[in-house]
Amino acid sequence: MSVKIRLQRHGSKGKPFFHIVVADARARRDGRFIEKLGTYNPITNPATIDLNVDSAVKWLNNGAQPTDTARAILSYKGALYKKHLQGGVAKGAFDEAEAEKRFAAWVEAKDAKVQGKVEGLSTAKADAKKAALEAEAKVNQARIDAAAKAEADAKAAEEAANAPAEEVATEEAATEEPTAEAEGTEETQA
């Protein structure tokens, strides 16, 4: 019987969620399986992977063949590296404690790298939000300035409309005064 480590698709349309399983190669994709090794959620950023590494290594040592995507996931979580280290222990290159120490160091480095990506994404999101707020404040200030300018222009136009009426009245009064003076001078001449 040929055994594969592969993904079973779950989740709704457009929102995939996968179970990482060990199954007979002849079984349907979402059908019977021998053992569930973990889950994989590609929707989150970075993708969420829960994997039982020890069980995966046991199945790899027993001859289970991972599919391409499952191999990438096993590599990402360190199952293939742990299998490689166990091969070194079997050959006598180093002991089990050294293998565990190397694997723990690798996992710690990998976790730091993933955490760095998460922090980078969160800072990028915060920067984008800050830039959006600054742009919105700039637009609001421009809108307030435009409204103030329009109000000032309307007030100036109103004053301009009132001012000519006052000027016309003062001009009429000014033109009437000389005529009265002219009449007064005419009376004095006669």
Side-chain angles (χ1 to χ4, degrees):
M1 169 172 91
S2 176
V3 178
K4 295 269 190 188
I5 298 176
R6 63 185 184 194
L7 302 179
Q8 272 189 347
R9 184 183 164 119
H10 294 275
S12 61
K13 182 178 179 181
K15 296 178 183 173
F17 183 83
F18 298 95
H19 290 184
I20 303 166
V21 297
V22 177
D24 183 1
R26 297 170 293 184
R28 296 183 324 227
R29 179 192 72 180
D30 299 334
R32 291 179 50 183
F33 60 90
I34 299 168
E35 184 181 346
K36 179 179 170 185
L37 299 177
T39 59
Y40 168 57
N41 185 0
I43 299 296
T44 60
N45 191 7
T48 306
I49 302 172
D50 295 321
L51 180 68
N52 184 346
V53 176
D54 294 329
S55 185
V57 170
K58 180 191 83 164
W59 279 103
L60 288 170
N61 286 334
N62 287 339
Q65 295 296 313
T67 60
D68 293 339
T69 307
R71 178 178 298 278
I73 291 170
L74 293 174
S75 176
Y76 181 82
K77 292 305 277 188
L80 296 179
Y81 183 60
K82 191 166 188 176
K83 179 182 184 255
H84 171 73
L85 290 174
Q86 286 181 352
V89 169
K91 291 179 182 175
F94 44 84
D95 61 348
E96 185 70 33
E98 177 67 20
E100 288 299 321
K101 186 173 108 178
R102 288 183 184 186
F103 183 71
W106 182 88
V107 168
E108 186 177 319
K110 184 70 169 184
D111 289 342
K113 186 176 178 184
V114 170
Q115 188 61 32
K117 182 177 181 182
V118 169
E119 290 172 1
L121 289 172
S122 65
T123 56
K125 186 177 180 181
D127 290 345
K129 186 174 182 179
K130 183 179 178 182
L133 287 174
E134 288 175 357
E136 185 177 342
K138 191 174 183 182
V139 168
N140 286 343
Q141 186 61 39
R143 187 178 298 131
I144 290 169
D145 292 344
K149 185 176 186 247
E151 185 178 320
D153 290 345
K155 190 173 183 181
E158 183 180 320
E159 289 176 2
N162 291 339
E166 292 175 4
E167 288 177 8
V168 170
T170 54
E171 286 177 10
E172 289 175 4
T175 54
E176 289 178 12
E177 290 176 11
T179 55
E181 290 177 3
E183 289 174 9
T185 52
E186 288 176 10
E187 290 176 10
T188 54
Q189 291 177 358

